[in-house]
Amino acid sequence: MAVDELDTRILRLMIEQPRTSVREYARVLGIARGTLQARIDRMERDGVITGTGPVLSPAALGHPVLAFVHIEVTQGHLDEVGDALAAVPEIVEAFSITGGGDLLTRVVARDNGHLEDVIQRLINLPGVVRTRTEMALRERVPHRMLPLVESVGRGTRTAR
């Protein structure tokens, strides 16, 4: 899906001011509310906008330890292991990957001992061959999308 300059401006506002109303976005952008709503609906339908809920802090929820756990899986068991990972609440993301392992998970924990307990739980899942854990020390670039949105939308023009 092509994201044009107006879409980029809409997304920028939604990222920078997520609690603002559609009516206010339309006023700021100088476009009709119906036009704005149609653009948002299209971007949701096309999968550009995938959610509107709050962004939560695992640290504020009592889980300040962040680790990335690479999981090697017995051939033919990737789907079963992936399904089992969904039952582990401390796993906040999991991806199939290439390279050193089959899955990469983002794991949060209360402390190092709790992290070890979570890793032991992962090791004991049927189909898991081994794990390798890397602990995050400090976030250097927080999750962000605005630079990508602006990069994709750069150079395209729409009429107001």
Side-chain angles (χ1 to χ4, degrees):
M1 182 220 142
V3 174
D4 63 22
E5 182 184 14
L6 180 55
D7 292 333
T8 300
R9 292 172 53 215
I10 292 167
L11 292 169
R12 173 185 269 285
L13 271 178
M14 292 179 78
I15 290 168
E16 291 179 342
Q17 301 172 31
R19 296 178 140 225
T20 303
S21 69
V22 171
R23 174 183 287 177
E24 181 62 13
Y25 288 150
R27 187 192 68 71
V28 169
L29 293 167
I31 61 174
R33 184 187 175 285
T35 300
L36 174 66
Q37 191 62 60
R39 292 282 186 134
I40 292 171
D41 291 346
R42 178 181 47 81
M43 288 189 283
E44 287 175 346
R45 203 173 38 254
D46 291 347
V48 173
I49 298 172
T50 59
T52 57
V55 177
L56 305 177
S57 164
L61 293 171
H63 289 68
V65 174
L66 171 61
F68 298 93
V69 180
H70 298 258
I71 303 172
E72 188 177 321
V73 176
T74 304
Q75 283 190 340
H77 291 87
L78 189 60
D79 289 338
E80 297 94 76
V81 172
D83 291 344
L85 295 178
V88 180
E90 295 86 357
I91 294 178
V92 295
E93 289 182 297
F95 301 91
S96 299
I97 60 168
T98 63
D102 300 299
L103 294 163
L104 175 64
T105 62
R106 186 170 159 226
V107 178
V108 296
R110 292 184 302 272
D111 53 39
N112 290 350
H114 180 222
L115 177 61
E116 182 181 12
D117 294 343
V118 173
I119 293 167
Q120 288 302 317
R121 182 173 176 190
L122 299 180
I123 290 169
N124 289 318
L125 292 175
V128 171
V129 175
R130 74 178 45 88
T131 64
R132 186 181 89 242
T133 302
E134 298 167 351
M135 296 202 40
L137 301 176
R138 180 178 297 151
E139 183 177 66
R140 299 294 180 166
V141 177
H143 180 79
R144 63 195 184 142
M145 293 303 296
L146 188 55
L148 178 62
V149 167
E150 290 175 337
S151 171
V152 169
R154 194 171 293 129
T156 57
R157 298 276 184 232
T158 65
R160 281 189 176 200

